Amino acid sequence: MSNLKMKEAALIYLDRSGGLQKFIDDCKYYNDSKQSYAVYRFNVLINPSDIVELDAELGNHILHQPLKAAQVFQSVCYIAVKTLSLIGQLQTETQINIVLKLTHLPPLPSYCLDLCEFPRDYTSQRFYTMQGIVIAMTTVTKYTQGARFLCSDEACPLSKGFQYIRVHVPGATESATVRNDFLCNLCSSSLQEDRKFRVLGDKQIVEIITAKSLHAFQGYCNNQPFRFQSLTVFLRDESVNKMNIGNEYKVIGIPTCVKTSQTAVCVEANSITFCIPKVPSGISDNFRCLLSLTSSSCWKFTAILANIFASQIVPPGTYNLLKLCLLMSLVQTSDRNKELENCLDILIVTSDTLLIDRLLNFSINLVPRGIRHSVSTEIFPTLSRNKYGTGAVSIQAGSALLAKGGICFIGDLASHKKDKLEQLQSAVESRSITVYISGKKFGDDVDQQMTFPVQCSFWSFLDMDSPSRRNIQKTNMLIGQMDCSLIPANLVESFALLINCNESSSCHPLLPTVQHTLKKAIDPEGLLYLASKQFTTEDFEKLLAFAKNLNVEFSLEAERMIHGYYLASRRIRTDSIYGSKLSASALKYLVSLSEAHARLNLRNKVLKEDVLIAALLFETSLTLKYGAAVFCVAPNAVFPFEQYNEEYLEQRDVFLTECQQQLQQFIATYGPGTAIFASDE
């Protein structure tokens, strides 16, 4: 009676939810098909909340005994097929394969499989929800959805018909569905598969890790050792190719134990949902107050941010240009599942690699996807044989794809081999990486290739005091040009910003840095400056998280100015032999820099003041790459004075206003037709 009651409830739910009509439509497809099937597969969408409200016992079966619950729906669907004559070829109930697709699970701890907790339950055969980032995936292969077996003894009545049907169930291997040692229940003769009725489906295997594991890729250290392990997820049929490397997903599935070279806990995925992070509601009170106090200027707020940023690593007032560029690159990151078009790649030339390394490592920890590349791993995807013996090729993410929507800090550029640098240049220029899969090497008939978008910003540095650099010195340097002959010129040009951090210059006074280092050695956890107490690391995290989610648009005058500067700069850096020195990405970089400065000011509109900062930073970078040009910008143009107080901020505003007038004059002279500062417009 209990089983009959659950069947009635299942029929009522299918009717109310529209599932019955969908089932009828699917049956019509099978009935109209000229192909003969041993197994008819149907997906049934289940809302657990509605089911529990309709019939608690059926809801309990779905949540805790999903295989038995599927049998209830199988029986209901078989009766419907026979009653309504939906599929003429159907003979037995076992030919119907019902797959229950859950919309969600109850938001209770007992239904969550925490990837950080052990042991993991793989014996109860029930649904759990888990969340993780995809770090590896295989190519798509085939598996057996269902098969028909016949008794080998022709005299046996079970040598015909569809009495022996085997279908895949969660956790089952291929050999559990199809093998040659099955026996007839009636005469004990061996069963043979009728191969023409075998039904194949698509299968893909992915590996996920919890977001907490990213600490291992961020140079994160709290003096506590930790380890992490990936979880294998099997995707089948409709779920294939629904997950992308680098994205974070919530998966509903049934954990199982799979025997390979070592026992591993895996999950048969039932449904997949892309995780959308919450947008922060605002910034800290101290930053809100600072923004209000500097509202009269378009430049003061970001100047103060750069001045006080990372005071745990360098004293306030030092490396301001670099810190501003880092902040602008950080606000151009994204937590959303969208193409990251406006990346800001930064290459730093320095003689103090230890300090720069600490500063960059501190900065990447302020965003969720800040990845520090380890020399023992690969920057880009690599191939290996799948450990589950499915014949598929496993594609490992690499640091760049793992940093999707964030920052990939690859350390000293000169430490990478030539082929890796060429790969990096190609990825930075095209914003994609192609993986070639050799069919001969991995046992396939044909070669394949897969292309992945590279949606992160790259940070790197070059050591000015490298022994290799001392042996390779350029002799025909132009005024203002930086010697980067240690790496290919095309790779240097592909970075949006080239920054010179020479500690002996007036922009980076040596004494405050030395004093800071000594004090930190004595008291590593101490807050040495008032700024560190007023504006904490958590405050900067909230600020960046809020700023990068702002939707910005260009004002008309900002748009005209940025195009005018691009055309003028392209014109003066073009010669008859080599053509233009400005890459095709130059305009994109200028747009990204302008947007970043507006976001850092917590504005939704890009103004001409933002374009000025973008132009100064970009022109400084161009000067280091190619030498000075007509629009001559000093290395310290963005931060022209050493003293940092209220009077300094006013002087800086006056200086930047003069720079803006010079930029407009430059555009008017070398970018004819723009007319950006005409008063009648």
Side-chain angles (χ1 to χ4, degrees):
M1 291 299 294
S2 175
N3 198 32
L4 180 61
K5 183 183 176 184
M6 284 195 292
K7 289 180 181 179
E8 291 177 356
L11 181 60
I12 293 171
Y13 175 77
L14 288 173
D15 186 38
R16 290 180 180 178
S17 65
L20 186 58
Q21 183 59 50
K22 181 181 180 301
F23 174 74
I24 294 173
D25 294 339
D26 292 342
C27 287
K28 186 176 185 301
Y29 166 79
Y30 282 122
N31 197 50
D32 294 343
S33 175
K34 296 180 180 180
Q35 183 179 350
S36 298
Y37 294 90
V39 177
Y40 298 88
R41 186 174 182 274
F42 300 95
N43 289 335
V44 177
L45 188 65
I46 298 292
N47 185 319
S49 301
D50 294 343
I51 285 280
V52 170
E53 188 174 331
L54 178 65
D55 187 278
E57 187 177 4
L58 178 59
N60 185 62
H61 265 66
I62 290 172
L63 292 175
H64 302 105
Q65 295 177 300
L67 299 182
K68 289 185 178 180
Q71 291 175 357
V72 172
F73 280 89
Q74 179 189 43
S75 180
V76 170
C77 291
Y78 175 72
I79 294 172
V81 169
K82 287 301 183 182
T83 303
L84 303 176
S85 302
L86 297 176
I87 303 176
Q89 309 96 309
L90 183 71
Q91 296 185 22
T92 63
E93 184 176 313
T94 54
Q95 287 181 264
I96 292 182
N97 180 19
I98 298 295
V99 180
L100 303 180
K101 294 285 187 179
L102 271 61
T103 58
H104 66 282
L105 286 178
L108 300 171
S110 59
Y111 293 97
C112 296
L113 186 69
D114 192 335
L115 302 188
C116 296
E117 295 293 328
F118 291 92
R120 294 171 180 165
D121 177 21
Y122 56 86
T123 58
S124 61
Q125 286 283 292
R126 71 174 181 86
F127 288 115
Y128 284 89
T129 182
M130 61 224 70
Q131 189 168 321
I133 299 166
V134 179
I135 62 168
M137 65 192 308
T138 67
T139 52
V140 178
T141 56
K142 295 294 182 181
Y143 82 102
T144 303
Q145 277 186 4
R148 175 197 189 193
F149 285 83
L150 299 172
C151 181
S152 58
D153 185 354
E154 294 183 359
C156 179
L158 298 182
S159 62
K160 298 177 182 179
F162 292 85
Q163 300 301 318
Y164 290 118
I165 300 294
R166 295 192 66 82
V167 296
H168 171 81
V169 295
T173 60
E174 185 74 6
S175 62
T177 308
V178 179
R179 62 176 189 262
N180 56 14
D181 61 349
F182 296 127
L183 299 177
C184 177
N185 293 332
L186 187 62
C187 66
S188 297
S189 299
S190 62
L191 297 181
Q192 294 179 340
E193 182 191 357
D194 187 354
R195 290 183 177 273
K196 67 177 180 288
F197 280 97
R198 181 182 289 193
V199 181
L200 299 179
D202 293 328
K203 177 178 67 176
Q204 189 177 32
I205 303 173
V206 304
E207 292 183 39
I208 63 174
I209 59 171
T210 176
K212 296 177 184 177
S213 301
L214 288 182
H215 289 316
F217 301 95
Q218 293 179 314
Y220 177 84
C221 179
N222 60 355
N223 297 322
Q224 294 293 326
F226 67 96
R227 66 183 296 272
F228 69 92
Q229 183 178 358
S230 64
L231 181 71
T232 303
V233 179
F234 283 80
L235 308 180
R236 300 186 189 271
D237 305 305
E238 303 84 10
S239 299
V240 162
N241 290 327
K242 289 291 181 67
M243 300 176 82
N244 295 318
I245 290 180
N247 282 350
E248 186 173 6
Y249 297 91
K250 184 175 288 184
V251 178
I252 295 176
I254 299 176
T256 59
C257 181
V258 175
K259 302 280 187 179
T260 57
S261 56
Q262 55 185 5
T263 302
V265 179
C266 306
V267 171
E268 282 271 351
N270 180 269
S271 65
I272 303 163
T273 309
F274 176 76
C275 293
I276 301 177
K278 294 181 180 179
V279 178
S281 57
I283 59 176
S284 67
D285 292 338
N286 285 338
F287 272 132
R288 191 177 291 107
C289 180
L290 179 62
L291 184 65
S292 176
L293 292 173
T294 57
S295 59
S296 60
S297 168
C298 293
W299 297 309
K300 289 181 180 179
F301 184 69
T302 53
I304 296 174
L305 287 182
N307 183 68
I308 62 177
F309 178 60
S311 58
Q312 298 89 335
I313 310 299
V314 293
T318 59
Y319 295 96
N320 281 352
L321 178 65
L322 173 59
K323 290 190 291 183
L324 176 63
C325 293
L326 295 179
L327 287 168
M328 291 170 68
S329 183
L330 289 169
V331 296
Q332 288 300 90
T333 61
S334 173
D335 298 331
R336 303 285 168 174
N337 185 26
K338 63 179 182 179
E339 187 176 349
L340 191 62
E341 297 178 346
N342 298 326
C343 303
L344 275 179
D345 307 308
I346 299 177
L347 177 59
I348 305 155
V349 182
T350 181
S351 57
D352 192 348
T353 57
L354 180 60
L355 189 63
I356 296 301
D357 184 90
R358 288 174 179 170
L359 179 57
L360 268 59
N361 198 77
F362 170 83
S363 301
I364 63 171
N365 279 276
L366 298 179
V367 291
R369 291 296 186 91
I371 302 297
R372 182 190 177 97
H373 172 68
S374 170
V375 292
S376 61
T377 59
E378 296 290 336
I379 302 177
F380 298 107
T382 55
L383 303 177
S384 64
R385 293 189 181 276
N386 176 243
K387 64 183 179 181
Y388 292 97
T390 61
V393 179
S394 180
I395 304 166
Q396 308 295 319
S399 300
L401 298 191
L402 200 56
K404 185 173 184 178
I407 306 293
C408 182
F409 173 30
I410 58 178
D412 188 352
L413 206 56
S415 65
H416 300 280
K417 295 181 179 179
K418 182 180 178 181
D419 61 327
K420 301 301 179 186
L421 294 180
E422 291 174 351
Q423 202 175 22
L424 175 63
Q425 180 187 334
S426 173
V428 171
E429 290 176 347
S430 65
R431 286 295 155 189
S432 65
I433 188 73
T434 300
V435 177
Y436 297 93
I437 304 172
S438 169
K440 183 178 180 181
K441 181 178 179 181
F442 292 100
D444 202 352
D445 296 332
V446 294
D447 295 340
Q448 299 181 57
Q449 70 177 44
M450 298 180 69
T451 300
F452 300 93
V454 177
Q455 297 174 295
C456 68
S457 295
F458 291 98
W459 289 358
S460 186
F461 60 80
L462 277 175
D463 187 0
M464 290 179 65
D465 293 338
S466 168
S468 303
R469 188 178 182 277
R470 294 195 197 104
N471 298 331
I472 309 174
Q473 290 285 341
K474 272 191 175 181
T475 56
N476 56 342
M477 301 292 293
L478 300 175
I479 297 175
Q481 189 176 12
M482 175 64 65
D483 180 10
C484 298
S485 53
L486 198 60
I487 60 171
N490 290 340
L491 179 56
V492 176
E493 292 169 6
S494 65
F495 279 83
L497 291 177
L498 178 63
I499 303 171
N500 179 22
C501 284
N502 185 359
E503 63 179 6
S504 61
S505 69
S506 58
C507 300
H508 312 112
L510 193 57
L511 185 58
T513 305
V514 172
Q515 292 174 337
H516 174 92
T517 305
L518 291 173
K519 290 178 181 178
K520 273 293 182 182
I522 297 171
D523 185 10
E525 302 299 325
L527 299 177
L528 307 182
Y529 312 100
L530 181 61
S532 304
K533 301 174 184 177
Q534 289 182 322
F535 304 98
T536 64
T537 303
E538 291 73 23
D539 290 340
F540 270 99
E541 287 180 3
K542 288 181 64 176
L543 175 74
L544 292 170
F546 180 78
K548 69 183 180 182
N549 283 292
L550 292 174
N551 294 318
V552 295
E553 59 180 18
F554 276 79
S555 64
L556 182 60
E557 58 181 4
E559 190 172 335
R560 288 178 174 175
M561 178 178 278
I562 203 168
H563 281 91
Y565 167 70
Y566 169 73
L567 293 172
S569 186
R570 185 176 178 85
R571 182 180 180 186
I572 64 171
R573 294 186 185 273
T574 301
D575 59 52
S576 57
I577 301 176
Y578 299 104
S580 176
K581 293 181 180 178
L582 261 69
S583 67
S585 303
L587 183 59
K588 184 180 69 173
Y589 293 149
L590 286 166
V591 169
S592 185
L593 286 165
S594 303
E595 288 180 348
H597 193 262
R599 284 195 174 101
L600 206 53
N601 270 296
L602 306 182
R603 279 191 271 102
N604 294 102
K605 190 174 285 291
V606 178
L607 307 177
K608 61 182 181 180
E609 288 81 3
D610 301 310
V611 177
L612 172 67
I613 298 297
L616 292 178
L617 291 174
F618 192 70
E619 190 66 33
T620 302
S621 181
L622 289 179
T623 302
L624 293 173
K625 291 177 181 178
Y626 310 114
V630 175
F631 183 49
C632 190
V633 174
N636 63 340
V638 179
F639 293 96
F641 308 110
E642 291 184 33
Q643 299 299 322
Y644 207 93
N645 50 39
E646 194 170 338
E647 183 181 353
Y648 159 81
L649 291 173
E650 295 296 336
Q651 291 176 349
R652 180 175 179 268
D653 276 9
V654 172
F655 177 83
L656 290 177
T657 303
E658 294 173 356
C659 289
Q660 190 162 336
Q661 294 170 356
Q662 293 172 12
L663 176 59
Q664 291 174 335
Q665 185 60 47
F666 168 69
I667 295 171
T669 306
Y670 294 95
T674 55
I676 65 159
F677 59 100
S679 57
D680 58 338
E681 288 191 4

